[in-house]
């Protein structure tokens, strides 16, 4: 086994990089095909979710495999190799198996213990099977990962340690209220009709929303989802609308969830602002858009001029002083509750202009301000975002949320600038990552880790044992040929030998050969299953002078006779994005 995985996830890369590196279904297929065409790889599979992109391959050379897989990921993700490399992780052989099994159990998820990753692993296996890029190793690996994940959920309380991303996102929107209390009587707009959107719609219906409106580019799929919701017995009204009616529905919705496969923004800041403005009767102001997450169409705030407003604090885009001495005492904070979307370089320039033009009595230390701005601009360049702590109180705390938005797509569906609109609350993948970082882990997590360790050892032993099986089969085939040749020779020397005696002699010779081979073949399988046991197959071939082509022929025949993997393509409630 020479299993190699190269990838990046929410644990190794900022969301801005994951967002840019996201792969469409077509891009995943092309990546698989190109990986198989590469010299070091014999099999390939891609596990792509909203918070991870991993390329698995069976390679014959480690260093060449790492270089090739990294280059292919960069090419197909559109992120330059030099920029992508610092965020990549590499796992090889048993460590790669341990990683996938941990992922399947939800130990590596943004929300620990969530079960939707099982559906994504199943999808990844089905895709590689459909494209014929998965051979024995990856079929065995992904099938076993699914079994390990199911075992972890059935034998432990890992489900109590985490929830689906949908549930966790709704809890963040609900703030201090139970989701059922927060959702009761609300109107919900769900954009998209895929697995994650369907789960969000069903969760909202069970939570007690009054109405769910489903918008999708394929209206038939939206209608099917709406019918399922209406027949679910929750009492929720459900209906479907085409995508061109999203803006109109936004003026009525209390909460909107979006999870589509779009490569651009589905909800712009202007659309959200218009929805809030139509509801309140007053214009909604959109602040400066963020740089990451695609080009925003939001109108940027005008640059500060030499003319200072009556209250200069109101013109300051961002309080930068860490000790709270600037403006009204709310300084820069990387962990502020409102750190949902970050400042871009243009906004930092606006603040610099404000510092230059503000009255002397309003300034703290201009040089320190300039140094801070320089440092934050460097952070923007490196990470794509600078979180902020806004001046006004949290709208969750004040209860003035007019529109709650949950963006579960990668790349993002909703413009990050909407969090600057009064009355709008946005929760996206980035803020979920921040919120889940400190989430408590159940004691069952340790039990799951023990399960993973045991299963990795068992899988490695089985693979190593399977590696020597063709050699053992070839040895026994050779022995059978020797017996057959000797019996034929006996027939030539004793043509009149009665059939009964001939059969007895044949059986005796076969028993002798079997007894001579039994202990060595059983023992060599045991030794081969242990770490470092790969060399026993080579030793067996050398000792008995086995033809390598014969061993290879046994391996090929074994693969042809493998049972078709049906489990990977069956419908499963866990299938979907995470």
């Amino acid at each position: 086994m020479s299993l190699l995985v190269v990838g990046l996830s929410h644990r190794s890369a900022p969301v801005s990089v994951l967002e840019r590196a996201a792969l469409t279904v077509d891009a995943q297929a092309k990546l698989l095909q190109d990986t198989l065409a590469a010299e070091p790889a014999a099999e390939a599979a891609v596990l792509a979710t909203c918070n991870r992109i991993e390329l698995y391959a069976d390679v014959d050379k480690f260093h060449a495999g790492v270089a090739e897989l990294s280059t292919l990921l960069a090419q197909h993700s559109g992120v330059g190799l030099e920029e992508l490399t610092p965020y990549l992780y590499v796992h090889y052989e048993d460590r790669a198996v341990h990683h996938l099994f941990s992922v399947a159990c939800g130990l590596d998820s943004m929300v620990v213990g969530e079960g939707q990753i099982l559906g994504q692993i199943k999808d990844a296996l089905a895709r590689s099977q459909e494209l014929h890029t998965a051979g024995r190793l990856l079929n065995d690996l992904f099938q076993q990962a699914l079994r390990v994940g199911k075992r972890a959920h059935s034998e432990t309380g890992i489900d109590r340690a985490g929830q689906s991303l949908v549930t966790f996102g709704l809890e963040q929107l609900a703030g201090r209220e139970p989701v059922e209390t927060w959702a009761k009587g609300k109107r919900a707009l769900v954009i998209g009709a895929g697995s994650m959107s369907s789960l969000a719609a069903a969760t909202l219906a069970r939570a007690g929303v009054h109405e769910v409106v489903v918008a999708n580019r394929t209206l038939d799929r939206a209608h099917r989802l709406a019918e399922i919701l209406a027949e679910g017995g929750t009492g929720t009204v459900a209906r479907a609308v085409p995508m061109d009616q999203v803006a109109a529905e936004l003026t009525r919705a209390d909460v909107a969830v979006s999870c589509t496969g779009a490569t651009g923004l589905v909800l712009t800041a202007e659309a959200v602002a218009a929805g809030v403005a139509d509801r309140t009767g007053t214009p909604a102001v959109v602040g400066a858009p963020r740089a990451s997450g695609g080009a925003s169409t939001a109108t940027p705030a005008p640059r500060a001029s030499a003319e200072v407003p009556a209250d200069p604090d109101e013109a300051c885009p961002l309080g930068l002083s860490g000790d709270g001495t600037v403006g009204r005492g709310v300084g820069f904070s990387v962990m502020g509750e409102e750190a949902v979307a970050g400042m871009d370089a243009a906004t930092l320039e606006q603040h610099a202009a404000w510092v230059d033009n503000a009255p002397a009595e309003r300034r703290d230390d201009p040089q320190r301000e300039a140094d801070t701005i320089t440092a934050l601009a460097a952070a923007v360049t490196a990470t794509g975002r600078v979180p902020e702590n806004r001046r006004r109180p949290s709208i969750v705390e004040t209860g003035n949320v007019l529109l709650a938005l949950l963006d579960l797509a990668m790349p993002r569906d909703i413009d990050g600038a909407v969090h600057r609109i009064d009355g709008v609350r946005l929760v996206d993948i980035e803020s979920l990552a921040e919120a889940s970082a400190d989430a408590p882990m159940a004691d069952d997590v340790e039990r799951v880790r023990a399960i993973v360790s045991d299963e990795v050892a068992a899988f490695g032993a089985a693979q190593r044992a399977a590696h020597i099986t063709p050699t053992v089969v070839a040895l026994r085939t050779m022995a059978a040929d020797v017996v057959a040749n000797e019996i034929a020779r006996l027939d030539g020397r004793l043509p009149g030998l009665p059939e009964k005696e001939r059969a007895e002699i044949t059986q005796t010779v076969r028993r002798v050969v079997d007894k001579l081979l039994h202990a060595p073949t059983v023992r060599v399988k045991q030794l081969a299953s242990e770490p470092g046991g790969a060399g026993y197959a080579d030793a067996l071939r050398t000792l008995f002078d086995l033809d390598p082509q014969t061993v290879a022929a046994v391996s090929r025949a074994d693969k042809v006779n493998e049972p078709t993997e049906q489990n990977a393509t069956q419908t499963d409630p866990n299938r979907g994005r995470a």
Side-chain angles (χ1 to χ4, degrees):
M1 178 180 65
S2 298
L3 177 66
L4 175 67
V5 56
V6 178
L8 65 160
S9 73
H10 64 99
R11 295 186 182 275
S12 70
V15 173
S16 58
V17 174
L18 282 172
E19 190 174 45
R20 291 167 53 208
L23 298 172
T24 64
V25 174
D26 291 341
Q28 292 176 43
K30 188 66 167 61
L31 174 58
L32 285 173
Q33 293 165 348
D34 288 353
T35 302
L36 209 61
E39 182 178 343
E43 303 179 31
V46 173
L47 178 58
T49 74
C50 61
N51 53 30
R52 77 178 61 248
I53 303 166
E54 297 176 344
L55 179 55
Y56 292 77
D58 182 9
V59 299
D60 56 6
K61 299 174 183 176
F62 173 73
H63 294 291
V66 171
E68 187 66 34
L69 266 57
S70 301
T71 300
L72 288 168
L73 274 176
Q75 288 176 351
H76 289 274
S77 68
V79 180
L81 180 60
E82 184 176 346
E83 182 181 358
L84 191 64
T85 298
Y87 305 114
L88 294 177
Y89 47 78
V90 175
H91 299 297
Y92 190 53
E93 296 188 333
D94 284 351
R95 291 301 307 169
V97 177
H98 189 282
H99 175 74
L100 181 59
F101 287 3
S102 296
V103 169
C105 293
L107 293 180
D108 198 59
S109 295
M110 186 179 296
V111 181
V112 174
E114 60 90 13
Q116 284 186 303
I117 188 64
L118 287 174
Q120 296 171 323
I121 292 174
K122 186 171 290 188
D123 288 341
L125 176 57
R127 186 178 301 109
S128 60
Q129 288 176 334
E130 181 181 353
L131 296 172
H132 306 291
T133 64
R136 163 173 284 182
L137 174 59
L138 292 185
N139 269 295
D140 289 350
L141 175 69
F142 276 70
Q143 287 286 346
Q144 187 62 25
L146 292 171
R147 287 189 282 269
V148 173
K150 291 175 181 177
R151 179 189 169 192
H153 284 281
S154 64
E155 294 184 11
T156 75
I158 188 67
D159 290 330
R160 294 193 298 268
Q163 316 122 303
S164 74
L165 213 56
V166 169
T167 304
F168 189 60
L170 292 177
E171 285 185 352
Q172 297 304 302
L173 287 177
R176 296 179 177 86
E177 287 185 290
V179 172
E180 291 75 12
T181 303
W182 169 81
K184 188 174 181 60
K186 281 183 167 58
R187 291 187 172 92
L189 170 63
V190 176
I191 305 174
S195 55
M196 184 65 86
S197 298
S198 300
L199 178 60
T203 303
L204 286 165
R206 288 195 300 269
V209 295
H210 170 69
E211 179 185 46
V212 175
V213 178
V214 182
N216 194 56
R217 286 184 173 83
T218 305
L219 190 57
D220 287 343
R221 294 190 64 184
H223 277 301
R224 284 198 296 272
L225 178 54
E227 290 172 1
I228 293 172
L229 294 172
E231 296 169 358
T234 61
T236 299
V237 177
R239 56 189 177 89
V241 298
M243 286 293 287
D244 58 11
Q245 292 186 25
V246 165
E249 294 296 335
L250 207 59
T251 64
R252 305 174 60 252
D254 302 300
V255 57
V257 180
S258 186
C259 187
T260 73
T263 55
L265 293 176
V266 175
L267 286 182
T268 64
E270 284 91 340
V272 174
V276 176
D278 289 346
R279 191 173 316 173
T280 62
T282 59
V285 179
V286 183
R290 56 186 294 176
S292 61
S296 169
T297 55
T299 305
R303 286 186 62 89
S305 64
E307 182 179 354
V308 180
D311 185 353
D313 290 337
E314 293 300 328
C316 174
L318 180 66
L320 294 177
S321 177
D323 60 4
T325 56
V326 175
R328 292 178 179 169
V330 181
F332 172 78
S333 170
V334 296
M335 294 299 291
E337 184 179 356
E338 299 297 340
V340 176
M343 295 288 102
D344 59 14
T347 308
L348 293 174
E349 288 180 6
Q350 289 178 349
H351 181 79
W354 178 85
V355 170
D356 290 340
N357 297 319
E361 64 272 14
R362 288 292 187 182
R363 302 183 195 179
D364 177 30
D365 183 342
Q367 182 58 49
R368 187 172 67 174
E369 288 278 343
D371 292 342
T372 306
I373 292 169
T374 301
L376 292 180
V380 169
T381 302
T383 66
R385 67 182 293 273
V386 174
E388 58 153 337
N389 191 8
R390 289 184 291 174
R391 279 180 151 65
R392 60 182 178 274
S394 164
I395 55 176
V396 176
E397 294 176 347
T398 61
N400 295 327
V401 180
L402 300 176
L403 178 60
L405 301 172
L406 178 58
D407 186 357
L408 298 173
M410 182 64 75
R412 74 184 67 242
D413 279 349
I414 303 175
D415 191 346
V418 302
H419 88 289
R420 303 179 192 285
I421 303 172
D422 286 334
V424 174
R425 163 76 165 159
L426 171 66
V427 169
D428 58 11
I429 294 296
E430 193 165 12
S431 58
L432 287 176
E434 294 172 355
S436 64
D438 298 324
M441 295 171 61
D443 293 338
D444 297 274
V445 169
E446 289 303 320
R447 293 178 57 199
V448 173
R449 287 175 176 158
I451 288 175
V452 168
S453 296
D454 291 344
E455 292 284 357
V456 170
F459 183 83
Q463 289 296 310
R464 287 186 289 270
H467 178 70
I468 204 170
T469 297
T471 303
V472 172
V473 171
L475 174 60
R476 289 191 172 277
T477 301
M478 184 192 73
D481 290 341
V482 170
V483 170
N485 291 334
E486 289 301 318
I487 295 300
R489 185 166 174 262
L490 179 65
D491 288 340
R493 294 181 63 181
L494 301 172
L497 186 68
E499 183 61 30
K500 182 177 181 181
E501 284 78 0
R502 180 185 182 278
E504 187 64 32
I505 292 171
T506 301
Q507 186 63 25
T508 299
V509 174
R510 286 176 177 168
R511 281 199 299 267
V512 170
V513 172
D514 285 342
K515 287 183 177 180
L516 286 173
L517 290 181
H518 176 72
T521 53
V522 170
R523 184 59 178 150
V524 79
K525 286 184 177 181
Q526 293 172 343
L527 293 171
S529 67
E530 298 173 359
Y536 287 100
D538 295 333
L540 205 60
R541 286 193 293 269
T542 302
L543 287 171
F544 288 92
D545 196 22
L546 298 176
D547 184 358
Q549 293 185 355
T550 302
V551 177
V554 173
S555 298
R556 287 194 296 271
D558 203 25
K559 288 183 180 180
V560 170
N561 294 325
E562 282 180 350
T564 303
E565 298 287 1
Q566 297 292 340
N567 293 338
T569 55
Q570 292 176 352
T571 303
D572 189 283
N574 285 323
R575 292 183 70 168
R577 300 177 62 183

